[in-house]
Amino acid sequence: MGLSLRANISAQQPLYFTIGIGIMANTGPASSSGQLTRSAKVVPLPARAPERLVAVGFRCWLAGLSTGDIKCWEDAWNTFSGMLGPENAKTLLLDLSKFVRAVKANAQRDIEISPVGCRSFCRDECLAISIIAACQHDERQALTASAAALIGSDDIGDTLNGAQALAAALRKTNQMLCAES
């Protein structure tokens, strides 16, 4: 049973955040090991461009690390360069890579991602958004709670270092996430 990992994410198309637990489905989130998990209930909440960059980037980069499929990283590149230009995309993807690698290396549980191209964000993608938003707005309590929830451990140091670098790079390109993210 495989997942389609090709995406055509358009900045004009709204994406949706997800909440809750649904039933097993082929279109539901996949764990970092590629296994299907319970799908989340989709609630329409249009995503802003900075939040979309973080979630789609997180999804694509983790999918690429998990599968070794270069198309996943190409999808991340196309999304970032299409929205910010190639120079900004290059810098941001380096920091995104550091953040995702830190999450993957320190996670004490499987990290779930939706299939590339899915029009909703799963719980872990929303937590990645929350971590970067908390870094940008210096919300320490939200930052530590979100990071601990994402990696399943209180040992969040490396994850925070990666998140802070990505948050700062996004800030430099005027991509400020909403404080409530």
Side-chain angles (χ1 to χ4, degrees):
M1 179 180 322
L3 297 174
S4 171
L5 294 175
R6 288 295 290 153
N8 183 11
I9 305 294
S10 169
Q12 290 79 25
Q13 294 176 339
L15 293 176
Y16 300 92
F17 291 97
T18 61
I19 60 170
I21 298 296
I23 58 171
M24 188 69 78
N26 287 339
T27 58
S31 71
S32 57
S33 63
Q35 304 251 332
L36 289 176
T37 60
R38 293 182 180 267
S39 64
K41 181 179 175 186
V42 176
V43 176
L45 292 171
R48 298 174 54 246
E51 286 81 4
R52 182 180 300 117
L53 284 172
V54 171
V56 171
F58 182 81
R59 173 187 297 168
C60 292
W61 216 263
L62 189 58
L65 289 174
S66 297
T67 65
D69 186 353
I70 194 169
K71 291 178 179 120
C72 299
W73 294 309
E74 289 173 346
D75 289 336
W77 170 259
N78 291 335
T79 299
F80 277 67
S81 65
M83 293 177 81
L84 303 170
E87 284 304 311
N88 287 330
K90 183 178 178 181
T91 302
L92 284 168
L93 287 175
L94 287 172
D95 288 318
L96 173 73
S97 174
K98 291 174 191 172
F99 171 59
V100 174
R101 286 177 186 276
V103 168
K104 186 170 174 63
N106 292 291
Q108 300 298 308
R109 63 180 194 81
D110 282 342
I111 303 298
E112 296 177 0
I113 55 172
S114 296
V116 174
C118 181
R119 293 179 47 90
S120 62
F121 299 145
C122 70
R123 174 188 178 269
D124 289 346
E125 293 162 343
C126 290
L127 285 170
I129 292 169
S130 295
I131 291 167
I132 303 305
C135 282
Q136 285 188 333
H137 296 281
D138 200 30
E139 296 287 339
R140 301 270 183 213
Q141 188 174 17
L143 175 59
T144 55
S146 296
L150 180 62
I151 66 169
S153 169
D154 289 332
D155 186 14
I156 58 175
D158 291 339
T159 301
L160 294 186
N161 290 337
Q164 289 167 339
L166 178 57
L170 285 163
R171 183 181 293 116
K172 286 180 186 174
T173 60
N174 296 318
Q175 298 298 312
M176 290 296 294
L177 281 74
C178 181
E180 291 77 31
S181 294

